[in-house]
Amino acid sequence: MRASWDEYFMEIVEVVKTRSTCLRRQVGAVIVKDNRIITTGYNGAPSHLKHCTELGGCERQRLGVPSGQRHELCRALHAEQNAIIQAAKLGNTTEGATLYVNIQPCVICAKMLINAGIVRVVYKGEYPDPMASAMLEEAGIETVNINEK
């Protein structure tokens, strides 16, 4: 049976996330426009900086910070952020695009997605950030939990 476009791109997300260097959660993102991949991203430290694995662990874990809180203490960029940044570096517009990601975006990423012109977000894992969901809805961005299809 042939995969739908959403299924196809979510499978690619699963491969992209394997590049993640985060010790807490592997996240992958793919930005797509007209059924063509514009860019990908995964969560990890900025280019040319040491990853948490090289520094002996995760600062947020060491401090006991719950998931979804105190993002500023994290050394890594989120997958969505890296995908948007890569699109900008390559000169690819994200206006009108769809983001595929294995975890529902946080509020920081939601704000970036809104301003990047993303019109649809397809995800499969829940994330404890109701403000992010509310902002995406207020902005008119379609969100699809692929597990509920």
Side-chain angles (χ1 to χ4, degrees):
M1 185 167 102
R2 189 174 191 199
S4 71
W5 285 113
D6 285 349
E7 292 166 338
Y8 173 73
F9 291 119
M10 286 304 289
E11 284 295 319
I12 295 170
V13 164
E14 291 299 314
V15 174
V16 171
K17 81 176 190 180
T18 66
R19 292 286 304 151
S20 170
T21 59
C22 182
L23 298 172
R24 290 182 105 177
R25 180 188 326 255
Q26 287 191 315
V27 182
V30 176
I31 298 178
V32 174
K33 191 168 182 179
D34 300 323
N35 292 328
R36 299 288 179 257
I37 295 173
I38 295 171
T39 187
T40 65
Y42 53 87
N43 55 332
S47 297
H48 313 293
L49 297 186
K50 291 181 180 178
H51 303 289
C52 294
T53 53
E54 299 168 297
L55 296 172
C58 171
E59 182 68 7
R60 292 177 72 230
Q61 248 174 347
R62 188 183 70 72
L63 295 172
V65 176
S67 181
Q69 297 178 18
R70 303 293 314 269
H71 296 282
E72 75 278 7
L73 296 175
C74 183
R75 187 169 182 82
L77 289 156
H78 288 186
E80 302 95 321
Q81 295 166 351
N82 270 326
I84 291 168
I85 290 165
Q86 285 303 309
K89 279 180 72 172
L90 298 170
N92 294 329
T93 182
T94 55
E95 189 72 38
T98 296
L99 171 86
Y100 291 88
V101 63
N102 60 301
I103 300 289
Q104 182 180 0
C106 73
V107 70
I108 295 168
C109 290
K111 291 185 276 188
M112 291 181 71
L113 296 169
I114 291 164
N115 278 1
I118 301 292
V119 296
R120 185 169 181 257
V121 175
V122 180
Y123 66 95
K124 66 178 175 180
E126 299 291 331
Y127 190 74
D129 197 335
M131 181 183 249
S133 299
M135 289 182 88
L136 291 170
E137 183 179 337
E138 182 181 344
I141 295 176
E142 177 188 0
T143 58
V144 177
N145 182 340
I146 200 159
N147 288 335
E148 294 177 357
K149 279 181 113 179

